[in-house]
Structure formats: C-alpha cells, structure tokens
Amino acid sequence: MTKRIGVLLSGRGSNFEALAESVAAGRIPNAEIAIVISNREGAPGIDRAKTRGIATRVIPSKGLEREVYDRQVGAVLDEYKVDLICLAGYMRLLSPYFVAQFPNRILNIHPSLLPSFPGLESQRQALEYGVKFAGCTVHFVDENLDAGPIIVQAVVPVKDDDTEASLSERILKEEHRIYSEAVRIVLEGKYKIAGRRVLRVT
Ligand code: GRF
C-alpha cells in the first residue's frame, strides 16, 4: 500500500523538494507526500508544494501554546492519514504530546554531525569551532532538541576558505541525498532500534 508522508516546514523547503523528487523518481518507492504544513505564512516551501500539486496548509503558530498548536497540526495529519512525518526546516520544538502521538514516526534533518552542534546556525558553529569535517544527520524525533536515534549521517570536509554559505551549500547537497535514503529505510521497515542505535535489517 502507498505510504503517506506529511511534511512540516517553516521556510525555503529544499529538503521537501528533494523528498518530492525522490518520490517521483521512485527512489522512495510506494510513497506519496500527502500534505505539506507550514507554521509560517509565506514560507516558500508552500509555494513549491502547490507547484507540484501537493495539498498544503498554513497553520500560524505565533502566540499559541506549544501543545495547543501541535493538536491543530496533529488533527490535519490525521485527516490526511499520514504514516510518516518529515520535519524539513521546521523551526519549532515539538510537544511531548505530539511526539507521543506518532512514536518513531517523526524524522528530522539537521545540518551537523549530531550530537555536535545542535540548535541554530550549526554550520556557523562548526566553522567557529574549527572542525575539519562537518555533515548532516537524519534522526528520529523525540521531545528534546535535535536528539533521538540517528538513522543516517553524511560527512563533508571543511575547507580552509569555507564561508558559512559555502559550507552550508556542501552540506545541503548531502542533506537532500540522505533524507530520501532515511525515509526509504523507515518506510520499508528495514531497521530496528536498539537503545539509541538504529540498526539495518535486510
Ligand atoms: C536545512 O539545513 C535543515 O537541515 C535544517 O533547516 C534547513 C532547511 O532548509 N533543519 P530547507 O528549508 O529544507 O531548504
């Protein structure tokens, strides 16, 4: 049966677009993106989804208590009967309520090799720290920020002449690749979770 993906975003939406491309190209088989939800009006990701003919909702989060907001989002995800939720540049921490509603069914992409550099401006944090390798992580989401068992990571070198922009661009290319890989693994169920470790099962 076709698995239904719900995407939550707040901005540009390039990771959403990469997932949509992978679904269209069969790299994520037997799946469709059922709904794209933004907590911000005017998020370019919403226009990208509309262009692709994918259903969209803007649910403004401003001023709403976390769980009150998450209940609204959860109701829409239920309405669209989603099997998997992909956070793609979604700039909100999820309430424990929301996480409990969708156990091991929420993924996030983060532009660092977690547990290094969680939070905002990870690429800048990596440059300032002086690491020689940076990267990105797809992980299951729990109620803590950028935590949860790691599904896939990719490493990129940091070059001496890198700026935040050039490093971000190199990382983003890998983000687009590994997010689809992780979604495929999870939707196919070819994994098991042992403690914090996500192990591949063939
Ligand atoms: C990406 O770098 C992602 O890792 C982070 O936010 C950024 C979103 O970019 N969580 P986009 O909206 O997917 O283009």
Side-chain angles (χ1 to χ4, degrees):
M1 221 175 74
T2 304
K3 297 280 174 113
R4 297 168 65 80
I5 301 169
V7 174
L8 306 188
L9 53 76
S10 303
R12 183 174 59 181
S14 75
N15 275 290
F16 149 67
E17 191 104 57
L19 290 176
E21 281 294 327
S22 289
V23 167
R27 287 188 296 273
I28 304 175
N30 306 318
E32 65 177 310
I33 299 181
I35 178 77
V36 177
I37 301 174
S38 170
N39 68 313
R40 288 195 186 148
E41 314 248 16
I46 288 291
D47 293 329
R48 290 185 186 221
K50 282 185 178 154
T51 304
R52 287 179 172 272
I54 295 172
T56 62
R57 283 286 173 88
V58 176
I59 310 175
S61 56
K62 222 172 169 195
L64 286 185
E65 198 263 320
R66 198 174 300 286
E67 188 176 318
V68 171
Y69 180 73
D70 283 355
R71 282 181 188 274
Q72 294 182 13
V73 174
V76 174
L77 292 168
D78 284 344
E79 180 187 331
Y80 281 86
K81 298 187 176 10
V82 308
D83 300 293
L84 185 72
I85 299 162
C86 292
L87 310 186
Y90 186 59
M91 306 300 283
R92 282 182 67 81
L93 197 58
L94 301 176
S95 60
Y97 160 81
F98 190 90
V99 174
Q101 287 295 108
F102 304 97
N104 292 336
R105 289 202 286 142
I106 313 171
L107 308 189
N108 183 43
I109 177 100
H110 183 76
S112 79
L113 292 172
L114 291 171
S116 292
F117 315 128
L120 295 174
E121 300 187 327
S122 307
Q123 303 93 333
R124 183 202 291 257
Q125 291 185 55
L127 274 181
E128 285 176 357
Y129 196 93
V131 294
K132 299 299 184 191
F133 292 93
C136 46
T137 304
V138 182
H139 62 92
F140 285 107
V141 172
D142 61 19
E143 58 275 15
N144 299 309
L145 180 67
D146 299 327
I150 292 170
I151 306 161
V152 185
Q153 290 187 304
V155 178
V156 306
V158 179
K159 299 185 178 170
D160 284 354
D161 61 355
D162 262 334
T163 60
E164 194 181 343
S166 65
L167 179 60
S168 298
E169 194 184 325
R170 193 173 309 120
I171 294 171
L172 192 63
K173 219 170 147 206
E174 291 301 298
E175 291 185 37
H176 294 165
R177 184 177 64 78
I178 69 167
Y179 211 170
S180 298
E181 191 185 328
V183 168
R184 180 182 180 140
I185 291 167
V186 171
L187 285 183
E188 288 183 344
K190 292 187 172 166
Y191 69 96
K192 64 176 180 186
I193 302 178
R196 279 203 51 89
R197 301 183 72 198
V198 179
L199 306 172
R200 298 290 293 272
V201 177
T202 46

